[in-house]
Amino acid sequence: MNDVVIVPPPAPEAVHRILAARATDVDQRVLEAFAQTLEPRMSSGLALLAVGGYGRKELFPQADVDLLLLTANDSLTPPREALADFLQLLWDGGLRPSHSVHSVAECSTEHSDNAELTISLLDRRLLAGDQAAFEALAERFQAFLAKRGGAVAQQLAGLADGRRAKFQNTIYHLEPNIKDAPGGLRDLQTTRWLMQIEPHEGIPPLEGALTFLAGVRIRLHELTGRDQNVLTFESQDALAEQPAVLMREYYRHARVVDRAVRQAMEVVTERPGTLLGRFHEWRSRLSTSEFTVSRERVLLRAPAPPEDLTLYEFVARHQLRLASGTIEKMRGIVPKANWAGWKRLLSLPRPAAGLRAMQESGALALALPEWANIECLVVRDFYHRYTVDEHTLVAIGALEQVPDGRFAELMGEIEDPALVRFALVLHDIGKGSGRDHSQAAVEVAHKVMDRLGAPEADRATVEFLIERHLDMSSIMSSRDLHDGATAQALAQRIGTIERLKLLTMLTYADISAVNPQAMTPWRMEQLWRVYLLAHQELTKELETERIHSPAGVSPERAQFLEGLPTRYLRTHSPAEVDVHYTLARQLESRAVAIEIEHERGVYKLTLLTRDRPALFASVAGAIASFGLNIVKAEAFTNAQGVVVDTFTFSDPHRTLDLNPTEVDRLRGVVRKVLEGKHEAEKLLRGRPKPLLPAKARLKPRVAVKNDVSEAATLVEIVAEDRPGLLYDLARVISDTGCNIEVVLIDTEAHKALDVFYLTHQGHKLEPPVEEQLKAGLLAACLAAH
């Protein structure tokens, strides 16, 4: 392999000298060509102007030479043959002329379809020809800008918006186009033009960025011998011994330019009276005692900046941005954020705006010092488009607007989206460590979550997601999806349906953030197929995979665990198993053992008793009779016939919150229902009917599958949730003569997702029973409508 010859960019003081020297050299050749061709044929009424970068004397080695042939009036036209000879001389001389012919009147008129002409005239310079025509243009163009400058500025901002959108509005490309990408030379010049049209305060100095970006572009042109403006990996190697250092310097300057151009564009597009301006005036009503909203930007009211994440929560909640003054005030302030604060931010529907505000103010690296390791980090491959930090933020944003209905629905089923988002924040934090980045990221996450005070269950979930974040992508591309062993291996790694949903959405976000074309329809279908395979396997395991002869526990505890589904140990912490074992021992002296806990805004009722007909339905009915809404439930039975049931429910009317004694009464009612002293159906008669939409938003689906388990029939129900639904479904199952072997109930938003493993007279359901059961369940789902 040949050694790469390093040719660093020119020193800052040399940049302007190189550009001006190039312009001077071209001036001489253009003037000679003009004197030989056009000037003898049209000695008056025609002026030759340099415009654009050439007009500014910022002419790069391989850039086009922009020329305007200005006529004094519309009736004058340069002779065709002379113009052709003029251009031919320039081409023959190694130049690349780009010319146009316009009259003074045309140049002083608004062109909605040719705004580039007006913009180019902002950098006009007389080279030769009719001085009077040039002076006439200067006078009329100044008057035109005084009258229509606002419209020109808006056109210019619109062109910049469209150009920036082609680069996904981010500066953090691994191989950036230093001319046209956000934060590049075109944005820098757009800022200068906008300031020329409508001067205002607050724009950061751009000289440092100009000399750096221009120096890099000069070298790119010299290295390639053409107008090449993409800073490719090969170019980075040629420009610096340490390309990573060069690129971090690039991103530092691009950030300054990006902020400047956005600020300049906001001034001209959000002025009072415009439609956008009126909308932003209305949005200013969002102001609070802490923050003021002006032109979609958040300013601080209090003299002391907030020290927690409330500012960034406000930004995310209302999809705003920080004002430049706010950014400066927040610099250096370390947010005091614990796990609860992070979860509040990441539980919002669209938290990416808040995280980007943290990145912009420097708060993200201060709140999570480990973030500094991936800021502006370039990890080279020909698949990823963005730096590691930008990829992370794009991934989090990808979960906010999921166009595919299946994945959007799946995202809505996730109980705690903050976990998958925090896992995304840290999933690539190990890159650049020189080790397996997933394992390195797990170690970092462990320290971070320990520092933040995250509970053990959340820590375990986030660390699992980070460790396994490449698993589904790997299976999509390197495993036979028709092989049953593939689904079994994946299900074994993931363990639970809840984790499968989290990992699927993390994978969706991770792939989507690689580059805008990465999530192809084919790849999306493959990911969905992997999800379905794993979901089917995990659902099957609810009944088929049982605990047998558990090791490392006492004989008494082994007897309690024997026969429970393996899911039981995956979804319950050792402390929870201890509680259940203690409750099981109470059954030696009583028929029912019950515990009710209040945590994270919901209640959880755990009961252990001997299995009996209609047990699950009776408990569901007793809970519903208090006006409580069951959102999750599980029912397992061990080899001794002891049922371990857990019901998680919300208290929408605050019945238990405001009346603590009602918790004891609920415990008593459940006990009496199980002892046969109360009937759940009679308890429910006194409850008022819930107010529901006249028409169901979700068409119920009932699937009955006999090929999943050797001993039981799987029934899956998806329906619109309502108070008492679970009781009605369980009652239909009981009335059909079926016995519930395993239950997994989940509710997200308005959707109930229920899984039952059923037997009838000790066997799988026969077709007549299946039909009767399905009809009854569908009727129960639609009962309130």
Side-chain angles (χ1 to χ4, degrees):
M1 179 176 176
N2 294 328
D3 292 335
V4 176
V5 178
I6 305 299
V7 185
E13 61 273 12
V15 168
H16 291 291
R17 187 171 64 248
I18 292 170
L19 296 177
R22 162 78 171 151
T24 300
D25 175 62
V26 171
D27 281 355
Q28 184 177 350
R29 288 190 275 171
V30 168
L31 289 173
E32 289 175 357
F34 184 75
Q36 293 177 36
T37 56
L38 285 167
E39 193 171 33
R41 299 286 302 275
M42 197 172 177
S43 58
S44 65
L46 177 67
L48 177 63
L49 277 62
V51 293
Y54 180 34
R56 294 190 302 274
K57 292 193 174 182
E58 292 177 356
L59 189 60
F60 289 86
Q62 299 296 327
D64 289 351
V65 177
D66 293 328
L67 299 168
L68 170 65
L69 293 159
L70 178 71
T71 61
N73 57 63
D74 295 341
S75 62
L76 294 175
T77 304
R80 185 184 299 272
E81 300 83 1
L83 177 57
D85 291 342
F86 170 67
L87 295 175
Q88 188 63 53
L89 282 175
L90 296 181
W91 280 106
D92 291 345
L95 301 181
R96 289 174 35 192
S98 174
H99 81 287
S100 63
V101 180
H102 294 284
S103 67
V104 170
E106 288 175 330
C107 291
S108 307
T109 305
E110 187 173 347
H111 300 277
S112 59
D113 59 343
N114 189 14
E116 291 86 352
L117 169 62
T118 303
I119 294 165
S120 71
L121 291 170
L122 294 169
D123 296 312
R124 64 194 180 277
R125 179 167 60 92
L126 180 64
L127 293 173
D130 195 327
Q131 177 77 29
F134 180 72
E135 291 176 354
L137 171 64
E139 181 179 346
R140 292 186 61 173
F141 189 70
Q142 191 65 34
F144 165 71
L145 284 183
K147 182 178 180 181
R148 298 296 298 163
V152 172
Q154 289 187 37
Q155 282 183 311
L156 175 56
L159 290 171
D161 257 337
R163 170 180 50 78
R164 288 165 58 87
K166 295 176 183 177
F167 297 90
Q168 296 75 52
N169 292 299
T170 180
I171 68 171
Y172 297 103
H173 293 268
L174 298 183
E175 297 181 290
N177 184 316
I178 64 168
K179 178 184 176 184
D180 291 328
L185 285 164
R186 183 73 74 188
D187 270 355
L188 191 150
Q189 186 53 42
T190 297
T191 307
R192 291 159 124 190
W193 284 326
L194 291 172
M195 291 292 291
Q196 185 177 341
I197 296 170
E198 293 191 1
H200 61 274
E201 301 293 328
I203 298 296
L206 298 175
E207 183 59 30
L210 173 61
T211 54
F212 176 84
L213 294 171
V216 172
R217 191 182 180 203
I218 287 170
R219 284 292 185 259
L220 285 178
H221 285 198
E222 291 173 347
L223 285 168
T224 61
R226 56 193 177 90
D227 191 9
Q228 154 69 333
N229 300 305
V230 178
L231 193 49
T232 62
F233 294 143
E234 293 81 1
S235 301
Q236 294 168 29
D237 289 337
L239 290 173
E241 292 184 4
Q242 294 181 293
V245 175
L246 171 75
M247 292 310 296
R248 284 192 162 167
E249 182 78 353
Y250 166 79
Y251 297 124
R252 184 174 69 81
H253 288 298
R255 261 199 301 247
V256 173
V257 174
D258 182 58
R259 190 185 315 154
V261 75
R262 285 192 281 107
Q263 190 174 339
M265 289 164 62
E266 288 157 11
V267 170
V268 302
T269 58
E270 299 173 10
R271 62 166 56 85
T274 65
L275 180 61
L276 188 59
R278 288 196 295 273
F279 171 71
H280 290 163
E281 287 171 15
W282 173 78
R283 290 267 280 173
S284 67
R285 299 175 188 176
L286 297 171
S287 300
T288 68
S289 59
E290 294 180 281
F291 313 121
T292 297
V293 179
S294 176
R295 291 180 174 178
E296 293 292 280
R297 297 296 177 267
V298 182
L299 299 101
L300 303 179
R301 278 190 166 177
E307 295 184 351
D308 55 12
L309 298 181
T310 53
L311 170 62
Y312 306 107
E313 287 180 45
F314 185 81
V315 167
R317 183 171 286 109
H318 301 295
Q319 295 298 292
L320 302 167
R321 298 188 74 157
L322 298 180
S324 57
T326 305
I327 292 171
E328 294 307 315
K329 288 181 180 178
M330 296 303 296
R331 289 199 185 283
I333 295 177
V334 182
K336 296 177 181 177
N338 57 14
W339 180 242
W342 277 102
K343 287 199 76 171
R344 277 196 306 273
L345 172 60
L346 295 176
S347 295
L348 294 172
R350 300 176 68 185
L355 292 172
R356 286 196 176 277
M358 292 182 72
Q359 169 87 321
E360 196 169 18
S361 69
L364 194 50
L366 293 173
L368 297 174
E370 297 80 2
W371 182 263
N373 297 330
I374 61 169
E375 273 195 310
C376 303
L377 177 62
V378 173
V379 177
R380 294 185 176 186
D381 63 44
F382 296 95
Y383 189 45
H384 284 77
R385 176 172 293 185
Y386 310 116
T387 56
V388 177
D389 54 341
E390 179 66 10
H391 163 78
T392 297
L393 296 178
V394 171
I396 293 169
L399 294 181
E400 297 178 358
Q401 293 178 313
V402 181
D404 186 276
R406 299 165 301 178
F407 289 98
E409 190 173 349
L410 190 62
M411 186 66 192
E413 293 173 9
I414 291 175
E415 178 184 5
D416 194 349
L419 296 181
V420 69
R421 287 168 175 153
F422 197 77
L424 281 169
V425 169
L426 299 180
H427 80 290
D428 278 346
I429 205 83
K431 286 192 171 179
S433 64
R435 303 164 48 208
D436 176 272
H437 85 273
S438 297
Q439 192 55 48
V442 169
E443 294 172 13
V444 171
H446 186 81
K447 294 176 183 177
V448 168
M449 299 189 76
D450 184 55
R451 187 172 70 233
L452 296 176
E456 182 58 38
D458 288 355
R459 289 166 62 172
T461 299
V462 170
E463 289 175 20
F464 160 80
L465 291 172
I466 293 172
E467 183 178 13
R468 297 296 182 187
H469 79 269
L470 296 175
D471 282 11
M472 295 184 81
S473 295
S474 176
I475 287 172
M476 287 164 56
S477 59
S478 62
R479 293 292 184 273
D480 180 3
L481 301 186
H482 295 284
D483 186 349
T486 299
Q488 292 171 5
L490 181 59
Q492 189 173 12
R493 285 184 189 177
I494 295 173
T496 68
I497 292 173
E498 291 85 352
R499 283 189 168 184
L500 171 64
K501 293 177 180 179
L502 291 165
L503 187 60
T504 300
M505 293 314 301
L506 184 142
T507 306
Y508 174 91
D510 197 18
I511 294 174
S512 299
V514 166
N515 64 62
Q517 292 79 41
M519 185 56 86
T520 61
W522 177 85
R523 190 169 279 114
M524 190 178 295
E525 288 303 316
Q526 289 295 95
L527 177 58
W528 186 250
R529 189 175 169 194
V530 171
Y531 164 75
L532 291 179
L533 287 172
H535 187 277
Q536 182 177 358
E537 188 67 24
L538 288 168
T539 303
K540 180 171 69 175
E541 287 182 0
L542 286 174
E543 199 280 331
T544 58
E545 299 293 325
R546 299 279 180 167
I547 300 169
H548 295 297
S549 303
V553 297
S554 66
E556 295 81 6
R557 186 165 301 212
Q559 189 177 36
F560 165 68
L561 293 172
E562 183 72 25
L564 287 172
T566 54
R567 173 185 165 84
Y568 175 81
L569 289 178
R570 292 170 179 166
T571 57
H572 293 86
S573 67
E576 289 174 321
V577 175
D578 288 343
V579 170
H580 295 172
Y581 174 63
T582 302
L583 290 173
R585 296 190 63 179
Q586 294 179 17
L587 298 181
E588 297 171 6
S589 59
R590 62 178 68 178
V592 181
I594 300 175
E595 179 173 278
I596 299 177
E597 302 173 276
H598 186 203
E599 58 179 26
R600 300 189 188 183
V602 295
Y603 289 84
K604 180 188 285 186
L605 182 148
T606 304
L607 71 89
L608 279 79
T609 188
R610 297 285 174 182
D611 198 10
R612 68 199 72 177
L615 183 151
F616 190 81
S618 299
V619 178
I623 294 172
S625 72
F626 277 69
L628 307 171
N629 187 30
I630 298 172
V631 294
K632 290 187 181 298
E634 292 185 343
F636 304 135
T637 307
N638 69 9
Q640 295 179 294
V642 173
V643 171
V644 183
D645 286 3
T646 56
F647 294 84
T648 302
F649 49 87
S650 62
D651 184 11
H653 306 296
R654 303 191 66 195
T655 303
L656 306 185
D657 289 345
L658 300 176
N659 304 282
T661 57
E662 286 291 275
V663 175
D664 291 330
R665 192 168 78 84
L666 173 62
R667 186 183 289 108
V669 168
V670 170
R671 188 182 302 278
K672 289 178 180 179
V673 164
L674 292 176
E675 292 172 349
K677 297 176 181 178
H678 285 340
E679 292 183 27
E681 187 175 3
K682 289 182 179 179
L683 292 171
L684 284 166
R685 286 176 188 165
R687 295 295 307 171
K689 291 290 184 182
L691 293 175
L692 296 171
K695 184 177 180 181
R697 292 170 292 181
L698 181 66
K699 185 178 179 180
R701 303 192 300 272
V702 177
V704 181
K705 301 177 181 178
N706 255 325
D707 58 350
V708 174
S709 167
E710 294 181 1
T713 297
L714 170 66
V715 177
E716 293 179 301
I717 304 166
V718 179
E720 186 169 353
D721 190 37
R722 60 174 173 80
L725 174 63
L726 182 56
Y727 167 74
D728 288 345
L729 296 175
R731 182 62 184 270
V732 168
I733 292 170
S734 177
D735 288 349
T736 313
C738 297
N739 186 56
I740 298 173
E741 303 295 337
V742 178
V743 176
L744 180 62
I745 305 298
D746 199 0
T747 304
E748 294 300 336
H750 64 279
K751 183 167 63 173
L753 308 161
D754 300 347
V755 174
F756 296 89
Y757 275 93
L758 307 177
T759 57
H760 184 259
Q761 297 178 354
H763 302 286
K764 289 185 179 183
L765 277 58
E766 296 292 334
V769 178
E770 283 186 26
E771 293 176 12
Q772 180 186 355
L773 177 67
K774 187 172 183 178
L777 292 173
L778 284 170
C781 293
L782 296 169
H785 298 278

